[in-house]
Amino acid sequence: MHDTASNPPSSSSTTSATCAPAPSTRTRPSWQRSPYEDLSAQQVADQHVAWIKKRRLVFIPTEIAVFAAALAVIALKPPAAGIIYLALLASAVAISFLHRTRAINRFGSLHQICSLECDPAKYRAVMEALVASDVHDRSHSILATEQARGLYYQGESMRALQLLSQVRFKSPKNPYWLAVLSIETMCRHDVGDSAGESLALSRLDELGRKASAGSPLAKELDKLRARYQVILKDLAAWTSQDAAFIRDGVDRAQSPLEYASWLLDECTWERLHGDRTRALQIIASLDELKLTPLHKRRRDALAAALRPETNTEHQLDL
């Protein structure tokens, strides 16, 4: 969902769109394997829970020891007690920050099941297993969001929207709203709910207004807006600038999931505005990739529309 891409080129000439390498000559990128590729969903979940428990066994006693030392400093009042006390408090904050950062990164790495393996069913199964282990329901909204991500890529946008309706974060500035609203936007677009799509986009704009300028959240929102300005517009209104932006996305894709998504956009542009032969070449190249059910559905719709007997006025459900 969160494709990284530069802003559309400023030139509006057709040349900028047609000088990109043809799909037949473009070198397909290679990516690293997912570290979870050989594991079942339950094994991934069990491994993740074990990692969290192990980290807590180190983190909690360490925090207790630091705070105990701080209390001892207050009681004993050694020389430079104030400096020692502040140093211990800073250590406690640093340890907590490090633990939280590693836990966030570890959880984020699970997304490689979607991005590298292109297996949203397995990803959703992992999240469902983590829900079962979340006995205090502390991560309900995060896990519901990630289950919805899996459902979207499985081509089940209505079920994804049902899950997203359960998401609640205390702070309206919580960065996870970016994931929630971006998934919702694409689900609304997928099911043809233009009013819901517009509402989700307005909430993303509101999130952007609350984000600090130059922050990671603000930068991600800028990238997302640039992508949405192209892929959410009327396909008939796509321009050569949009084609150049899409091809740049193909070249910059950082995972098989992103690569397939951008290729499908490129194929759509070629089918509607460009060269049918190039569109067919892209369809053929997609057969060599791992595709999610959502992307398979889009590929099949494009392949059907590109058949010689297909009515040229046929509208794609993309």
Side-chain angles (χ1 to χ4, degrees), residues 274-286:
D275 183 348
R276 180 177 177 276
T277 300
R278 290 187 67 178
L280 289 168
Q281 290 172 342
I282 295 171
I283 287 291
S285 70
L286 285 164

Side-chain angles (χ1 to χ4, degrees), residues 144-222:
T145 301
E146 295 308 321
Q147 288 179 77
R149 188 192 303 276
L151 283 167
Y152 168 69
Y153 283 115
Q154 282 184 270
E156 299 184 49
S157 290
M158 289 303 299
R159 289 182 62 194
L161 289 168
Q162 290 172 358
L163 268 176
L164 291 174
S165 68
Q166 304 170 17
V167 171
R168 301 287 185 274
F169 292 111
K170 292 180 180 178
S171 172
K173 296 182 181 180
N174 190 315
Y176 226 88
W177 280 116
L178 175 63
V180 176
L181 294 172
S182 61
I183 296 168
E184 181 181 353
T185 298
M186 295 309 299
C187 287
R188 300 283 182 194
H189 185 73
D190 185 43
V191 300
D193 179 4
S194 56
E197 179 186 320
S198 296
L199 180 59
L201 287 171
S202 67
R203 292 177 67 193
L204 275 171
D205 288 338
E206 183 181 354
L207 184 66
R209 287 191 291 271
K210 294 175 181 176
S212 301
S215 67
L217 176 58
K219 291 177 182 178
E220 280 298 313
L221 278 164
D222 287 343

Side-chain angles (χ1 to χ4, degrees), residues 23-93:
S24 58
T25 60
R26 178 187 285 139
T27 302
R28 181 155 63 95
S30 60
W31 294 276
Q32 63 181 19
R33 292 179 73 245
S34 162
Y36 309 109
E37 193 163 340
D38 298 326
L39 301 176
S40 68
Q42 189 61 55
Q43 287 173 323
V44 173
D46 290 344
Q47 188 183 84
H48 184 73
V49 170
W51 184 92
I52 293 294
K53 289 179 178 178
K54 184 178 178 180
R55 293 296 305 175
R56 285 176 180 166
L57 286 175
V58 176
F59 166 69
I60 294 174
T62 303
E63 284 283 85
I64 291 173
V66 171
F67 279 114
L71 292 174
V73 168
I74 294 173
L76 298 175
K77 297 181 180 178
I83 295 175
I84 296 173
Y85 179 75
L86 290 175
L88 287 169
L89 284 184
S91 297
V93 171

Side-chain angles (χ1 to χ4, degrees), residues 264-284:
L264 285 161
D265 291 338
E266 183 181 15
C267 185
T268 302
W269 191 92
E270 293 292 353
R271 186 256 163 183
L272 293 172
H273 306 286
D275 183 348
R276 180 177 177 276
T277 300
R278 290 187 67 178
L280 289 168
Q281 290 172 342
I282 295 171
I283 287 291

Side-chain angles (χ1 to χ4, degrees), residues 117-120 153 256-257 259-261 264 283 285-297 299-300:
E117 297 180 38
C118 298
D119 192 344
Y153 283 115
L257 184 74
Y259 186 67
S261 181
L264 285 161
I283 287 291
S285 70
L286 285 164
D287 290 338
E288 302 171 4
L289 301 177
K290 293 183 289 186
L291 299 176
T292 66
L294 174 72
H295 290 160
K296 287 178 182 176
R297 187 185 76 195
R299 179 203 60 192
D300 292 347

